Amino acid sequence: MITPRDIEQEDIEQYSTDQLKKIRSALRALRDAVILLNDDDGLEWWNQAAEDLLLLQSADHGKSIFDFINVPEFQQYYQTMVAPNDGVHMKSWRDPNRYLKCELTPFGDEKLLIIYDVTRLQHLEQMRRDFVANVSHELRTPLTVLMGYLENFSDQEDVPRQWRRGFELMTQQTARMNRVVNDLLLLSRIEIEETHELHYIDMTKLLTHVYDDAQAYNQEYGHTLHLQIDTYDGLYGSEMYLNSALSNLVINAIKYTPKAGNIVISWARTAEGCRFAVTDDGIGIAPQHVARLTERFYRVDSGRSRATGGTGLGLAIVKHVLYQYDTTLQIESSEGKGSTFSAVFPATHIRSAPMD
């Protein structure tokens, strides 16, 4: 005997089946490749875009995804993936002029893999990088000429008094523009260069150098600077770029801390790797600004930034340098109490000091 409960259960099952069909139909229509993987990394289901991209056939059901995507970047991403994540960008293994982004999302014992074609975005980004680099190079020569003539005229004793103030302002602004151009060129080199001169970095030596430079810059501010090195572990990477990034963080702490403040530079071992940090008791940063601090030319207080000689590119440089070490800039700040800028370098980039 069929009861109302049985009819209701049948309706629920039919509704669920219809909804599942709609979802699968929608996924099939997507231009992006969508693949459902089981707990053994085998293919459970895929849409037409995935079939075309990976040349899949019905007989491939259950085969490992690594049989079809045998790319080191993808394998490393897959094995170390955490949720949420930004995916991994890589060149297509079939067409070097095509760029793909793979994004993995786990749910239960299964995983959903989506592969996007980001070739157009990659080309646009490359055009932007080339434009910034070329414009910066073109500006450098006329700026050098201007700075030379302004310096020469400013040193002349017979310059009329009413002109002297104008020369001073022009000298200040060309010097500021020169700093912006130099930072743009550095940022472009960091972004564009695919290979860097990588070697062992003695962090004790590097941080001592950063500390000494900071002491020289600190003379007009009168802060008390502390250097705390709790490990002799170093890094494997580009020392020039790392020095620029860490110096930027320390100089920022000096500039944005009221005179006679305290600034601590530290390097210590952690469970995840090694942590670099700069802590100050300065003016602090309002919460709404923290997330945007590493954007190019973003300023919390534009007037104060220009007064301190900032270009608005320092933290963008820091972000891109840290990206080379698979880490990000962490910012903890409280208005009126101070800030801590830190980064944890993962164990894969840590190197012990070489034996003499």
Side-chain angles (χ1 to χ4, degrees), residues 248-249 252 293-294 312-320 329 331 341:
N248 260 314
L249 293 176
N252 275 355
L293 284 178
T294 57
L313 291 167
L315 291 182
I317 291 171
V318 172
K319 180 180 75 172
H320 282 83
L329 183 64
I331 305 172
F341 289 74

Side-chain angles (χ1 to χ4, degrees), residues 198-203 232-237 239 351-354:
L198 306 179
H199 52 78
Y200 170 75
I201 302 173
D202 184 337
M203 288 300 290
Y232 291 109
D233 287 334
L235 293 171
Y236 183 73
E239 184 168 351
R351 297 291 187 275
S352 299

Side-chain angles (χ1 to χ4, degrees), residues 2 49 58 61 77 80 106 118 120 155 162 202 210 258 286-287 352:
I2 300 176
S58 57
H61 186 276
Y77 163 69
T80 60
V118 294
R120 182 172 177 275
D155 290 340
Q162 64 270 26
D202 184 337
V210 170
S352 299

Side-chain angles (χ1 to χ4, degrees), residues 69-339:
I69 307 180
N70 187 22
V71 179
E73 299 100 302
F74 175 76
Q75 293 182 355
Q76 182 181 4
Y77 163 69
Y78 193 99
Q79 293 162 3
T80 60
M81 184 271 304
V82 294
N85 63 85
D86 296 326
V88 61
H89 290 77
M90 58 189 185
K91 287 185 178 180
S92 169
W93 51 95
R94 291 200 175 90
D95 182 359
N97 295 317
R98 188 178 180 188
Y99 293 86
L100 304 173
K101 176 186 177 183
C102 297
E103 196 170 281
L104 201 63
T105 302
F107 59 97
D109 294 330
E110 299 179 319
K111 301 181 184 72
L112 186 68
L113 173 63
I114 304 178
I115 305 176
Y116 306 93
D117 189 327
V118 294
T119 303
R120 182 172 177 275
L121 292 175
Q122 183 70 24
H123 288 163
L124 289 173
E125 178 65 13
Q126 189 61 50
M127 288 171 61
R128 182 194 64 78
R129 292 174 181 172
D130 292 343
F131 173 77
V132 171
N134 292 335
V135 168
S136 300
H137 277 293
E138 291 299 321
L139 286 173
R140 200 172 201 178
T141 300
L143 271 175
T144 302
V145 173
L146 278 173
M147 291 174 67
Y149 274 106
L150 285 171
E151 183 179 352
N152 186 43
F153 286 138
S154 298
D155 290 340
Q156 301 297 319
E157 295 181 358
D158 58 347
V159 173
R161 180 175 298 180
Q162 64 270 26
W163 289 12
R164 192 170 295 278
R165 177 57 179 165
F167 279 123
E168 289 177 358
L169 289 174
M170 286 189 287
T171 300
Q172 291 173 8
Q173 291 305 312
T174 51
R176 178 176 171 273
M177 180 63 77
N178 191 55
R179 289 194 297 272
V180 171
V181 168
N182 287 335
D183 277 357
L184 279 171
L185 286 170
L186 175 59
L187 191 55
S188 296
R189 285 198 299 269
I190 295 170
E191 288 183 322
I192 293 173
E193 287 184 19
E194 296 181 357
T195 57
H196 306 274
E197 185 180 343
L198 306 179
H199 52 78
Y200 170 75
I201 302 173
D202 184 337
M203 288 300 290
T204 301
K205 181 179 178 181
L206 175 62
L207 291 178
T208 300
H209 176 71
V210 170
Y211 174 79
D212 290 341
D213 285 349
Q215 286 285 28
Y217 187 86
N218 181 50
Q219 288 183 7
E220 64 178 284
Y221 294 88
H223 301 313
T224 301
L225 305 185
H226 305 273
L227 178 60
Q228 298 177 353
I229 299 178
D230 298 331
T231 176
Y232 291 109
D233 287 334
L235 293 171
Y236 183 73
S238 170
E239 184 168 351
M240 180 183 73
Y241 292 151
L242 187 63
N243 179 75
S244 176
L246 303 188
S247 293
N248 260 314
L249 293 176
V250 176
I251 296 302
N252 275 355
I254 293 174
K255 289 195 296 188
Y256 296 106
T257 298
K259 291 189 175 183
N262 287 283
I263 297 170
V264 179
I265 308 165
S266 62
W267 175 249
R269 187 82 191 187
T270 68
E272 296 81 18
C274 285
R275 179 177 184 264
F276 170 82
V278 180
T279 301
D280 64 62
D281 57 359
I283 59 177
I285 305 161
Q288 66 267 26
H289 296 297
V290 171
R292 300 189 60 190
L293 284 178
T294 57
E295 295 179 11
R296 291 175 177 83
F297 300 112
Y298 183 79
R299 301 174 185 274
V300 175
D301 182 341
S302 59
R304 182 179 177 87
S305 294
R306 290 189 177 91
T308 56
T311 64
L313 291 167
L315 291 182
I317 291 171
V318 172
K319 180 180 75 172
H320 282 83
V321 171
L322 294 181
Y323 180 76
Q324 298 173 355
Y325 296 88
D326 301 316
T327 188
T328 56
L329 183 64
Q330 303 298 318
I331 305 172
E332 303 168 47
S333 187
S334 178
E335 284 188 280
K337 294 182 179 179
S339 308

Side-chain angles (χ1 to χ4, degrees), residues 56-69:
L56 298 175
Q57 301 175 359
S58 57
D60 294 325
H61 186 276
K63 289 185 179 179
S64 172
I65 186 63
F66 299 116
D67 292 340
F68 303 93
I69 307 180

